[in-house]
Amino acid sequence: NKLRRPWNLTNVPVYSLVTIDYKLDLNMNICTYVTPISIKPKKYLIAIDKQTKTFENILNGKNKYALQLLSKKNISIVKHLGKKSGHKFNKYDYLKRKKLIKNYRDVEILNDVSCVLFLSYENQIKTNNDHDLFLFNVSGFKTFSNTDILYFNDLVNKKIIL
C-alpha cells in the first residue's frame, strides 16, 4: 500500500460550487479546499484552480453562488463535475438531460446533496500558485441530511481519484 502525500491524508468533505457565467450559463465543479473561517458573520474560504471555468465565472459572472456539500448518492457525478472542464463540456446541459438537478430558492442544485449554502463574493486572495483563494459570505443555507456525507476517502476507495 503506497503512502499518500500529507495533503491527501485528511478525509475532508467533498463540495461542488455552483457558478453562473456572464451568459447566465450554470457551471459546477468539485472542491475539497473549503474551510469555514468565521462564525459571526459566517464566511467560507474556497481555493479555486485558476485554469477552470469556475474561476472565470467568479471573476466575470453573476455574483450568485451555491456551495453544495455532496452526499454519497452524488458520487457518480464527481467525474463529470471534477474531471471534465466547463470550458469544453457543458455540465448544465448534461445535468439537465440526466435529471440530476432541481431548482431550490432560484438556484439549480444537485439532487440528493447533504446541504447547500448560498454565498456572495467578498474578496479574492491572489497567489503565485495554481489556486487563488476566494472569501465568501454565507447569506443562507439549507441542510437536507446529516448522514452519508461524501468524503475524500470515498473518492479514493472508489478509484475516482489518486
Side-chain angles (χ1 to χ4, degrees):
N1 215 0
K2 190 173 98 176
L3 292 178
R4 291 194 219 161
R5 297 176 183 144
W7 48 89
N8 291 332
L9 286 175
T10 56
N11 195 20
V12 296
V14 179
Y15 294 86
S16 177
L17 183 64
V18 178
T19 60
I20 301 169
D21 70 15
Y22 68 94
K23 296 182 287 187
L24 302 182
D25 284 338
L26 176 141
N27 188 62
M28 292 187 193
N29 74 344
I30 294 297
C31 43
T32 54
Y33 302 148
V34 177
T35 306
I37 62 159
S38 169
I39 296 170
K40 284 188 178 180
K42 183 63 80 182
K43 294 178 189 272
Y44 271 71
L45 197 60
I46 305 172
I48 303 293
D49 188 313
K50 295 177 185 178
Q51 303 300 313
T52 62
K53 178 82 170 158
T54 296
F55 185 87
E56 182 181 299
N57 286 355
I58 293 171
L59 296 183
N60 305 315
K62 190 174 177 194
N63 187 14
K64 187 175 185 180
Y65 309 98
L67 182 64
Q68 307 168 97
L69 176 57
L70 301 187
S71 77
K72 290 183 179 174
K73 291 180 182 174
N74 301 124
I75 196 165
S76 63
I77 196 66
V78 168
K79 281 186 181 177
H80 287 88
L81 299 183
K83 300 267 186 180
K84 295 190 179 198
S85 168
H87 290 297
K88 298 175 183 162
F89 176 69
N90 189 320
K91 297 177 187 183
Y92 185 47
D93 285 348
Y94 174 81
L95 294 169
K96 280 192 304 189
R97 192 171 63 251
K98 296 286 187 178
K99 297 180 173 37
L100 296 170
I101 52 176
K102 64 183 176 187
N103 190 293
Y104 183 78
R105 293 189 192 168
D106 294 326
V107 179
E108 299 287 331
I109 64 171
L110 293 169
N111 298 329
D112 302 316
V113 295
S114 295
C115 71
V116 61
L117 297 102
F118 299 99
L119 307 177
S120 61
Y121 172 91
E122 181 174 308
N123 196 15
Q124 177 184 6
I125 302 165
K126 294 184 178 184
T127 72
N128 292 322
N129 308 311
D130 55 1
H131 287 61
D132 273 358
L133 301 173
F134 289 90
L135 181 62
F136 293 95
N137 295 302
V138 177
S139 57
F141 68 91
K142 173 66 175 170
T143 301
F144 300 105
S145 172
N146 292 329
T147 60
D148 293 327
I149 293 168
L150 184 64
Y151 284 95
F152 184 84
N153 281 347
D154 297 319
L155 305 181
V156 174
N157 293 339
K158 295 284 186 184
K159 310 228 182 298
I160 294 171
I161 56 172
L162 297 187

